[in-house]
Amino acid sequence: MKVNFRIYMLMLAVAALAFASCDDEGEETMSWKPGTGLHIVGPSEVAAGEESEYYVDGFTIKENYTWTLDGTAITPVRQGEFVMLTFDAPGEHTLTVTNGTYSGAIDIVVE
């Protein structure tokens, strides 16, 4: 009787696995492609008077980065990959960075 119960439970487990398994038709595939822009990491909302740090995601020190805030050049820190910003008044700003080949931007709302 115990043997039949174990076989029955084993068969139920196999059936459950068969129903829960994925088929090849519904699976997603991904392929890696190099990016065509720079991604800026940092807060998109800050408080007036608060210092915020922004940097290029996946930066390399072998690049020369040029930063601008609302079209005006700003001086980076460290080896050019980071900028520190403090906004005096509420408003909306756009921070951009380029390495001569790729560029990126982030919109910043100051409250």
Side-chain angles (χ1 to χ4, degrees), residues 1-14:
M1 184 77 167
K2 285 184 179 181
V3 173
N4 288 340
F5 180 74
R6 287 183 182 162
I7 291 174
Y8 178 72
M9 292 305 290
L10 180 62
M11 289 174 47
L12 281 177
V14 169

Side-chain angles (χ1 to χ4, degrees), residues 18-46:
F19 285 118
S21 66
C22 295
D23 60 353
D24 289 338
E25 294 176 21
E27 291 185 26
E28 291 184 31
T29 58
M30 294 179 63
S31 63
W32 184 84
K33 294 180 183 176
T36 58
L38 299 176
H39 178 248
I40 300 173
V41 178
S44 59
E45 295 182 8
V46 297

Side-chain angles (χ1 to χ4, degrees), residues 2-89:
K2 285 184 179 181
V3 173
N4 288 340
F5 180 74
R6 287 183 182 162
I7 291 174
Y8 178 72
M9 292 305 290
L10 180 62
M11 289 174 47
L12 281 177
V14 169
L17 288 173
F19 285 118
S21 66
C22 295
D23 60 353
D24 289 338
E25 294 176 21
E27 291 185 26
E28 291 184 31
T29 58
M30 294 179 63
S31 63
W32 184 84
K33 294 180 183 176
T36 58
L38 299 176
H39 178 248
I40 300 173
V41 178
S44 59
E45 295 182 8
V46 297
E50 177 182 294
E51 185 177 58
S52 301
E53 178 182 75
Y54 297 87
Y55 62 93
V56 177
D57 190 18
F59 67 86
T60 175
I61 59 174
K62 296 178 183 176
E63 296 283 342
N64 292 319
Y65 297 101
T66 303
W67 294 86
T68 60
L69 181 65
D70 298 329
T72 303
I74 55 176
T75 305
V77 294
R78 299 189 187 166
Q79 293 186 351
E81 304 87 18
F82 292 77
V83 290
M84 303 297 290
L85 300 176
T86 303
F87 300 96
D88 296 331

